[in-house]
Amino acid sequence: TQLLEQSPQFLSIQEGENLTVYCNSSSVFSSLQWYRQEPGEGPVLLVTVVTGGEVKKLKRLTFQFGDARKDSSLHITAAQPGDTGLYLCAGGKSNQFYFGTGTSLTVIP
Amino acid sequence: DADVTQTPRNRITKTGKRIMLECSQTKGHDRMYWYRQDPGLGLRLIYYSFDVKDINKGEISDGYSVSRQAQAKFSLSLESAIPNQTALYFCATSDYSGTSIGELFFGEGSRLTVL
């Protein structure tokens, strides 16, 4: 059983559209991270959020940590083909990282 | 050169064979991890080590063993490989500081196919 469930699992959109990816759990985490993975490579960290309700922006990406520290969302504004990849959330708990099920995003030019 | 290096990158083997996946790092981190990635399941933790004398089981350790030969080296073994161990395996290190959970730094992955 996965501690963290992501939705949607697959997302295919046109360049310029907006999208939101969700990461949900019934467990509380001390921190929440988002990673992006491209084919043939390992995941790379995008952001870490540690405070309930925290919002962080990274250019066109906005990350939010839920007030109860059980969920998170990633919003991308005006998606570009370079945003294509697998997005993974990861919750920090008891000195371990628990990964979500992943969202595969394809941005069509 | 990559900071976290995994060998082999690809391996095809048969059921019942012993397989070792090796990981070495030049980041100087104490914490090292082995994850398995399957489509639709994200990454699942197999084993982790916080220093040379520390080994801990993760979520899915059955059928796997590990060895931490040095701070920089952490190997994963499948004593008797079975087809449902076919997956993409990742080694990672962490720069955990005590005040921050840190960041995971991944290798490029080892794709294992068990026939």
Side-chain angles (χ1 to χ4, degrees):
Chain A
T1 303
Q2 298 288 116
L3 273 183
L4 287 162
E5 295 288 337
Q6 287 183 237
S7 61
Q9 185 176 357
F10 298 98
L11 191 54
S12 181
I13 62 171
Q14 294 289 331
E15 182 176 359
E17 292 182 352
N18 301 332
L19 67 112
T20 302
V21 177
Y22 299 94
C23 174
N24 295 299
S25 176
S26 57
S27 296
V28 175
F29 293 97
S30 58
S31 63
L32 201 294
Q33 297 181 325
W34 285 91
Y35 289 78
R36 189 175 93 187
Q37 183 181 12
E38 299 190 15
E41 299 181 7
V44 176
L45 181 68
L46 295 174
V47 76
T48 300
V49 284
V50 296
T51 305
E54 182 176 0
V55 177
K56 278 192 175 179
K57 292 191 175 183
L58 188 66
K59 297 183 180 178
R60 294 176 294 100
L61 279 60
T62 301
F63 305 86
Q64 183 163 11
F65 199 10
D67 291 341
R69 291 186 289 129
K70 293 182 179 181
D71 53 79
S72 180
S73 63
L74 158 61
H75 182 78
I76 301 179
T77 303
Q80 299 178 1
D83 296 326
T84 293
L86 179 67
Y87 289 82
L88 294 157
C89 63
K93 189 179 183 75
S94 302
N95 290 318
Q96 293 185 35
F97 297 85
Y98 293 90
F99 279 83
T101 47
T103 294
S104 179
L105 171 65
T106 301
V107 182
I108 302 166
Chain B
D1 289 340
D3 294 324
V4 182
T5 303
Q6 293 183 229
T7 55
R9 294 292 312 280
N10 289 284
R11 181 73 182 270
I12 299 173
T13 191
K14 295 182 178 180
T15 297
K17 294 292 187 180
R18 184 179 188 273
I19 294 297
M20 179 180 286
L21 306 179
E22 298 185 340
C23 177
S24 63
Q25 54 118 344
T26 58
K27 299 192 77 68
H29 294 159
D30 288 326
R31 297 190 172 198
M32 298 187 73
Y33 307 77
W34 275 104
Y35 285 91
R36 167 179 172 159
Q37 185 172 40
D38 298 277
L41 294 178
L43 289 159
R44 292 180 293 167
L45 182 62
I46 306 172
Y47 270 96
Y48 60 103
S49 170
F50 286 172
D51 64 45
V52 175
K53 297 180 180 179
D54 176 73
I55 300 289
N56 303 283
K57 293 182 177 180
E59 305 166 68
I60 54 165
S61 60
D62 287 351
Y64 302 95
S65 62
V66 291
S67 175
R68 185 80 184 266
Q69 300 95 324
Q71 186 207 35
K73 296 184 181 296
F74 192 35
S75 59
L76 175 71
S77 294
L78 288 68
E79 296 301 324
S80 179
I82 56 177
N84 76 359
Q85 291 178 312
T86 292
L88 184 56
Y89 291 85
F90 283 100
C91 175
T93 71
S94 165
D95 61 352
Y96 173 79
S97 67
T99 56
S100 166
I101 195 166
E103 173 182 350
L104 285 170
F105 297 86
F106 288 87
E108 294 179 312
S110 296
R111 185 167 295 281
L112 176 65
T113 302
V114 183
L115 302 176

